[in-house]
Amino acid sequence: MSIKFICKKCGLCCKNIHMVEQLYDYHNGDGVCRYLDQKNLQCKIYEHRPIICNVEKSYEFYFNAKFSEDEYLKMNYKGCDILMERENKKKEQEKEKQEKEEKDETLENVALSGINQETVQRYGSAIKEHIVSYDGIDNETGKKLSKGLESVSKSKINPDYKEANIKQQAGFSAEIKETARENAERIINGDKTRVSRTDDIGNINDQLHDHVVLDRNGNPIAGTASQMKFVGKNPEELLDKFVSQKYDKYIKDGCGLEIPSDRYDGVKEKIQEKIAGLQKQLKYIKEQGKSELILKKQEEIEKYQKIDKALKKSNVSTIEAIEARLNPKLSTIKDIAKLGHQAGKATAKNGAIIGGGISTIKNISSVVMGETDVVDAVVNVGLDTGKAAAISYGTGFAGSVIKGGMQNSSSEILRGLSKTGVPAGAVISAIELVKSFVKYFNNEIDGTELIEELGEKGTGIITSGYSAGVGAVIGGTLGSAVPFIGTAIGGAIGGVVGGIFGYTVNGIIYREAIMALKEVKISRERREQIEKMSELCIEEQKRYQNMIKQYAEEQYKNREVNADTFFKNILDSIIKNDVEQYISTINEFGNSYGLKLKYETYEEIDEFMLDDTLALKI
């Protein structure tokens, strides 16, 4: 036999045996031969393979009377080319689908970054207060504090009075930490007033007051001054000191008395015990007619009552004050981490709601189009919701910490960037860039494509950060002026729109720049082909939209929920800042197509996010 077929060993013919009648029993309905080693594309029964799988023998048994050897070989090679062409087309389609999914995921991540922009800004500014408390320098305002936690920790100690010295210095650390914690809380809550140590506004060594509240213009507010006292070994000793003559000046002044958070309840309890005991004594004295002692007992009762009224629970405990003195860096890191965690939980809620909503809409479309079943769609919604919550948590935690550091940076450029969406976009940038490197190391893209992706994603997300920052400011301004919206929700919407807009616009500009560098002159015929393809794409898009609409109308014509109502209600819930309406609208729409969200109310989401015993599974 002179015929000789040169096999490329691609394995494609072995993956398409459903088209060969003689091999009907050799596959499991998927067209792939069960004897094909998928790893090395080798036949496991090569020496005993069916005759139809042997080109030379199949010619002899089936085709020698119908075709010449040359014709037969050409037909086989043409068959190989057709299979290869189909395979390449299939791979190209899969690649395009994957790229589209990655692009959609990136845009969703940018959207999450945008909606979390306002939260990151608030918590980041709060974190900055703790950084200032450690350094003692506010680079944003150019103000230098009289003391910072770091400088207090370097205070001299007399070896003979080590414990007493540390306790005294811990009092200064407590004042500084109280100021940072109180101001951080006010920033988070949108309160424009600030607490200041009297030493930091020029009243050095004020004998009566340690703290005072300042209005938004930096002026002390009357009646807000307070004295902080971290004294005594227990609540009883602390109260005894307040009652002593040495502390009469604070009682007469009427200022607030800040005491350690761990001593507050104990002192309040002791005061009530003292008052109750004195009232019994007063009653007995009155019964005995000892008028000369009545006034004295009444004054004692009034003194305890004044102390009780003046008491304020500090944000700092005795142990925390000592820790701030001995290890100020660790103490500051703990506060920063705590606020970062709070920011993460707040942004995770946003992510769960928005991510779940987007996923529900996408999966409803997939169910309607028959691309997935209801069970898989529900699973997808759950996974997407968890993933969005996790990414948002990372955005909130890391973004707010980065924002705080940038805001108090000595670099004016970094301080300026801290007001944009760059801090919130940092986590998204890291995620997206790592994904590009993974694709590169898995040989899915080459070096040139890696550089292109890094350039587009990097500059795109940075641009989206700027746009999200501007969008958040504009949205917040409009939100504060328009009823029912509010600054927070306005800023969130502005952040989303600005982020997506910035990323999309930058992506277009960047790709066009790359194309301009690569592109060679395109012939007139080629340009016409591209224009024709574009027209077909537009028509295909219209056909696809009409097909969904027609299918939905035919299959679900008896359902009350429709797309127009759905999007109208979604927009209405955003304008009203009504989270419950937002969630219920998505639930109603999803339920009409057989989908059900894991969390149906904001309270359920909130309960999940606040429960530290539950793990977020992705």
Side-chain angles (χ1 to χ4, degrees), residues 538-593:
I538 294 171
E539 290 301 318
E540 183 67 14
Q541 185 182 30
K542 290 179 180 179
R543 186 183 70 81
Y544 179 77
Q545 292 174 344
N546 291 331
M547 186 167 60
I548 293 178
K549 185 176 180 181
Q550 183 180 356
Y551 185 91
E553 288 176 352
E554 290 175 358
Q555 299 297 321
Y556 303 96
K557 57 186 177 182
N558 294 324
R559 300 184 187 275
E560 296 179 359
V561 180
N562 60 67
D564 291 337
T565 304
F566 170 70
F567 287 109
K568 177 180 178 297
N569 290 339
I570 283 289
L571 180 60
D572 184 54
S573 66
I574 292 174
I575 292 174
K576 291 181 179 178
N577 191 13
D578 191 337
V579 178
E580 291 294 349
Q581 182 184 340
Y582 178 92
I583 296 173
S584 65
T585 300
I586 292 176
N587 274 322
E588 183 181 352
F589 192 53
N591 290 338
S592 70
Y593 287 94

Side-chain angles (χ1 to χ4, degrees), residues 119 149 181 212 320 381 390 392 537 552 583 587 593:
T119 302
L149 293 177
R181 287 183 175 179
V212 66
E320 288 174 330
V381 170
S392 291
C537 285
I583 296 173
N587 274 322
Y593 287 94

Side-chain angles (χ1 to χ4, degrees), residues 140-154:
E140 189 175 27
T141 62
K143 181 180 179 181
K144 186 174 182 179
L145 307 183
S146 60
K147 285 185 178 72
L149 293 177
E150 185 181 29
S151 62
V152 172
S153 70
K154 295 177 181 178

Side-chain angles (χ1 to χ4, degrees), residues 365-379:
S365 299
S366 295
V367 171
V368 170
M369 292 300 297
E371 296 173 354
T372 186
D373 59 33
V374 174
V375 175
D376 289 339
V378 171
V379 172

Side-chain angles (χ1 to χ4, degrees), residues 328-395:
K329 185 173 290 186
L330 176 62
S331 176
T332 303
I333 290 173
K334 284 182 178 180
D335 276 335
I336 290 174
K338 184 178 180 180
L339 286 179
H341 179 55
Q342 290 177 9
K345 289 198 294 184
T347 52
K349 293 176 190 176
N350 293 337
I353 294 169
I354 299 300
I358 293 173
S359 181
T360 300
I361 295 168
K362 286 168 59 178
N363 279 280
I364 286 172
S365 299
S366 295
V367 171
V368 170
M369 292 300 297
E371 296 173 354
T372 186
D373 59 33
V374 174
V375 175
D376 289 339
V378 171
V379 172
N380 290 338
V381 170
L383 290 173
D384 291 343
T385 301
K387 185 177 179 182
I391 291 175
S392 291
Y393 177 88
T395 299

Side-chain angles (χ1 to χ4, degrees), residues 180 306 313 355 431 460 485 540 603 617:
K306 286 180 179 179
K313 189 176 184 178
I431 293 172
I485 295 183
E540 183 67 14
E603 284 71 22
K617 296 181 180 180

